[in-house]
Amino acid sequence: MRLRPIWRDEGGATALEFALLAPVFFMLVFAVVALGMLFWTQVGLQHGVEMAARCASVNTVLCPNGNASVITNYAMQQTLGLSLPPSTFTYSTPACGNQVSGSYTFEFPAILNLSSLTVTAQSCFPA
């Protein structure tokens, strides 16, 4: 019986290829998920400020003018499933009408080792 030389053995090639490519693949998957979460946060924040600015101008029963805490709480409720604190939002009345702004620091998952990003949104609805 002849023994094949060990350097010609191809038995573990698939396992070696997987071991080399798996970390890159999983980092790519985590990055896609994190970017999806970032975009969801941006869309939710923008939706919250738009709905709150509109509510302050149109529905004065639900969002009375000048009552910033009620308007920012309404913005918090309209963020498409995100649980953001009310301090994320600010309300003001500049020349354009009722303006609601939001700023949130988005933290990436620790496995990606990326720094945090500040997501902002602003909407002004005529009074």
Side-chain angles (χ1 to χ4, degrees):
M1 180 164 107
R2 287 181 61 190
L3 295 175
R4 291 188 336 187
I6 196 164
W7 56 82
R8 292 187 182 222
D9 188 11
E10 296 179 4
T14 304
L16 180 64
E17 289 173 1
F18 178 77
L20 292 174
L21 294 177
V24 175
F25 174 73
F26 288 122
M27 288 298 274
L28 182 66
V29 168
F30 283 128
V32 167
V33 169
L35 283 176
M37 290 171 40
L38 175 67
F39 290 135
W40 178 39
T41 303
Q42 174 63 46
V43 168
L45 191 65
Q46 185 66 41
H47 185 262
V49 298
E50 287 177 3
M51 295 305 292
R54 183 179 184 280
C55 181
S57 294
V58 175
N59 192 350
T60 56
V61 174
L62 184 59
C63 301
N65 287 339
N67 194 341
S69 65
V70 171
I71 295 170
T72 56
N73 282 333
Y74 185 79
M76 181 189 66
Q77 295 168 357
Q78 298 298 316
T79 56
L80 301 177
L82 298 172
S83 56
L84 304 177
S87 61
T88 303
F89 302 98
T90 58
Y91 169 73
S92 62
T93 54
C96 66
N98 293 305
Q99 179 175 325
V100 179
S101 302
S103 180
Y104 178 72
T105 303
F106 181 81
E107 300 287 338
F108 286 99
I111 194 167
L112 293 177
N113 198 21
L114 296 173
S115 61
S116 60
L117 220 108
T118 302
V119 180
T120 60
Q122 180 178 333
S123 181
C124 192
F125 204 85

